[in-house]
Amino acid sequence: MIDRLIVHATLLTMTDEKGGLLPDGAVAIEGNRILAVGTTQELMERYSARVVHDVAGKAVMPGLVDAHIHTSMALYRGVAQDTHHWLQKGVGPFFSEINEAEAVAGSMLNIVEGLKAGTTTFSDFDNPMPLIAENYRITGARGRLTATVNQLPPGLHRLKVNEVYPLDESAGRQKLEETLQMLEKWHGKADGRITVMLGPQGPDMVTESLLMEIKSLARTYKTRIHMHVAQGDREINQMERRYGQRTIPWLDSMGYLDEQLVAVHLTEATDEEAALLAKRGAAMIHCPGSIGIIDGMVPPVMAFLEAGGIAGLGSDNAPGNNCNNMFNEMKAAAVFNKIKAKDPTVMPAEKVLRMATIEGASAIGLADEIGSLEPGKKADLIVINTREPGLTPVIMAPVSNLVPNLVYAARGHEVEMVIIDGQLVMENRKLLTVDEGQVVARAQQLAEQLAARVANGHQTDSRG
């Protein structure tokens, strides 16, 4: 007798370029892993289960992978849109005022939001990560966690735009030590759901010596480096003034572009720089919603993919993107890149669905464990009600409309069930591991306190 059997599903296994579609499919789960995938008839003949989920009329697919997110920023969702100098003039005042309790509450809010829209793996780049890690343990979500390391001074938003910001080596040393403590404490914990990467925030935000030390440590710990790269004209300006080179050529001259690197955004990268990154074996994380709002740009992900690179999708952060919903990112990635190329055939639905599942998993180094429905992989999967009005009708011939509708029509509320590591985390849209109402109420309360402090700080500055 096995633990769980899902039957009569329209399966998207993500085992081929078209999504690995299997009508009337089934998934057998034992413990935290997938035991078998096949037709309903085949698996019902082979197995009896303690729990059987009959999901007729619904699609089952791997849980979505948010390959780059800052969950702690949820409490200042929507405060920095429609503005220039987003980092310094938009989120800076809130970032400078937020305390640990507020950051952790915001993180929990974002995780709940993502879970309800089908995200099962969060590649979270944040602080205070040791406390945020507890959110992943509690909720049952899979966390690929990175504690932010930088050497930035406090009050960065008070510096003049384009001023070369000073780097504080002692602050960077302390943050690196905290990161290593985080890695020792959390890597592989919660039955392997929580793993850790190293995270220099950006090549403009740490010294060259610290950047190279982190690369050496990543080899020692056999993990990857999660870093913003060419993330805006602000960074390029800093790099040119500090080193006399643009970001990607400078990193290449140091031997930094390889399979260790998970490079986020590439907002200001040229097509040639993106192609170089791909050829060196680094991964790219494309965050179209966030970068569209923050910079009004579409990063060169097509040049990166055409050069053979592996890219994932990320929602980035609430004040940059307003939502942390991977269905939103899939549609944005497809539509924005079609507009940029003036070609409706680029970035097809099947490709962006892979970027949100198996290719996203590969980009962050977890493709051996998640991202597709295959025997031996972790049992991370979602059940989607395709009888919702926005996903109806489902047509299988002469063409299948399931994948295009998931990418261009789904909004996230169609996700009815979430299973992570073999455990039921959401059923009938009700989270089973945390009280959603309490999470939302606490986030609202703390956000109001944070906003009041920021408002008071603005008044103080104006009296200055």
Side-chain angles (χ1 to χ4, degrees):
M1 173 115 15
I2 65 171
D3 290 331
R4 202 179 297 274
L5 188 61
I6 300 171
V7 298
H8 297 303
T10 302
L11 286 187
L12 286 167
T13 63
M14 304 313 298
T15 53
D16 64 31
E17 297 299 319
K18 295 296 183 180
L21 182 63
L22 179 61
D24 198 15
V27 180
I29 298 171
E30 178 67 16
N32 67 351
R33 293 193 179 268
I34 296 171
L35 183 63
V37 178
T39 66
T40 294
Q41 180 178 348
E42 176 190 4
L43 266 58
M44 289 189 75
E45 289 174 352
R46 288 171 57 187
Y47 302 107
S48 59
R50 295 178 182 86
V51 179
V52 177
H53 302 279
D54 187 333
V55 295
K58 299 171 185 178
V60 174
M61 61 177 288
L64 301 174
V65 177
D66 191 332
H68 180 73
I69 182 172
H70 304 279
T71 61
S72 75
M73 301 172 77
L75 292 197
Y76 40 112
R77 184 196 309 270
V79 305
Q81 278 62 44
D82 311 320
T83 184
H84 293 294
H85 310 300
W86 174 89
L87 178 64
Q88 288 164 284
K89 302 303 181 184
V91 300
F94 287 84
F95 183 82
S96 296
E97 287 288 343
I98 195 167
N99 62 39
E100 286 190 344
E102 292 161 348
V104 173
S107 170
M108 182 63 86
L109 179 67
N110 255 180
I111 294 169
V112 165
E113 177 189 359
L115 285 171
K116 295 203 72 176
T119 298
T120 56
T121 296
F122 300 74
S123 187
D124 199 349
F125 195 148
D126 235 313
N127 276 325
M129 192 50 80
L131 300 179
I132 288 172
E134 285 286 348
N135 288 344
Y136 288 96
R137 185 188 63 79
I138 293 166
T139 59
R142 190 173 301 282
R144 184 71 157 151
L145 308 182
T146 305
T148 306
V149 177
N150 65 45
Q151 295 169 297
L152 297 176
L156 179 64
H157 62 289
R158 295 188 177 93
L159 295 178
K160 293 180 181 178
V161 173
N162 294 329
E163 180 180 347
V164 176
Y165 28 77
L167 298 179
D168 184 339
E169 294 198 17
S170 63
R173 175 61 47 194
Q174 179 181 344
K175 290 173 183 175
L176 180 58
E177 290 301 323
E178 291 170 354
T179 290
L180 296 179
Q181 292 171 16
M182 160 78 187
L183 193 151
E184 295 285 354
K185 179 179 179 180
W186 283 103
H187 189 64
K189 293 300 189 292
D191 296 322
R193 277 191 297 108
I194 298 175
T195 54
V196 178
M197 294 189 287
L198 298 182
Q201 187 169 351
D204 59 322
M205 298 179 179
V206 294
T207 60
E208 179 180 346
S209 61
L210 185 59
L211 202 62
M212 295 309 296
E213 182 178 354
I214 290 171
K215 183 166 183 59
S216 176
L217 287 167
R219 285 194 294 267
T220 299
Y221 285 97
K222 296 181 173 58
T223 191
R224 297 196 178 192
I225 297 170
H226 187 181
M227 182 168 72
H228 303 90
V229 174
Q231 66 172 320
D233 54 359
R234 171 195 48 76
E235 178 190 309
I236 299 298
N237 177 269
Q238 292 286 320
M239 295 299 290
E240 288 180 331
R241 296 182 68 180
R242 200 179 294 276
Y243 302 112
Q245 282 186 285
R246 291 170 57 85
T247 298
I248 290 175
W250 184 77
L251 289 173
D252 191 44
S253 72
M254 297 170 59
Y256 224 84
L257 304 185
D258 58 24
E259 66 283 351
Q260 280 186 308
L261 181 61
V262 181
V264 182
H265 296 323
L266 304 193
T267 311
E268 288 284 346
T270 65
D271 285 355
E272 293 75 18
E273 289 170 344
L276 174 63
L277 194 77
K279 290 172 183 175
R280 295 285 192 258
M284 174 185 177
I285 310 303
H286 182 41
C287 303
S290 176
I291 297 306
I293 290 173
I294 293 172
D295 291 302
M297 299 174 69
V298 181
V301 65
M302 290 305 304
F304 179 86
L305 293 172
E306 288 166 0
I310 298 294
L313 294 176
S315 65
D316 201 11
N317 60 72
N321 192 10
N322 291 71
C323 70
N324 298 101
N325 180 330
M326 293 308 293
F327 289 101
N328 181 73
E329 297 316 303
M330 286 191 281
K331 183 173 183 176
V335 173
F336 291 179
N337 281 283
K338 293 176 193 303
I339 294 169
K340 181 179 180 180
K342 299 181 180 179
D343 182 350
T345 67
V346 306
M347 199 65 87
E350 293 84 0
K351 180 62 175 178
V352 291
L353 190 64
R354 288 180 61 83
M355 290 169 67
T357 54
I358 185 60
E359 292 180 15
S362 179
I364 61 174
L366 295 181
D368 290 342
E369 296 286 311
I370 62 167
S372 60
L373 302 182
E374 299 181 75
K377 285 198 171 185
K378 295 291 182 68
D380 290 12
L381 52 88
I382 59 177
V383 178
I384 301 169
N385 183 7
T386 54
R387 290 178 177 167
E388 284 277 339
L391 293 182
T392 301
V394 177
I395 298 171
M396 292 299 177
V399 296
S400 172
N401 70 350
L402 179 59
V403 172
N405 283 347
L406 288 175
V407 169
Y408 297 120
R411 291 178 289 165
H413 70 274
E414 304 91 348
V415 177
E416 288 192 343
M417 181 185 295
V418 175
I419 294 173
I420 303 174
D421 219 39
Q423 299 299 309
L424 198 58
V425 173
M426 185 173 79
E427 187 174 27
N428 296 323
R429 293 209 45 78
K430 178 178 174 58
L431 290 173
L432 305 178
T433 53
V434 292
D435 185 319
E436 179 182 346
Q438 289 183 2
V439 170
V440 171
R442 178 166 172 76
Q444 179 65 36
Q445 176 190 12
L446 294 182
E448 290 173 3
Q449 294 176 12
L450 171 62
R453 293 200 307 276
V454 172
N456 183 62
H458 274 296
Q459 293 168 3
T460 301
D461 286 346
S462 66
R463 290 194 300 266

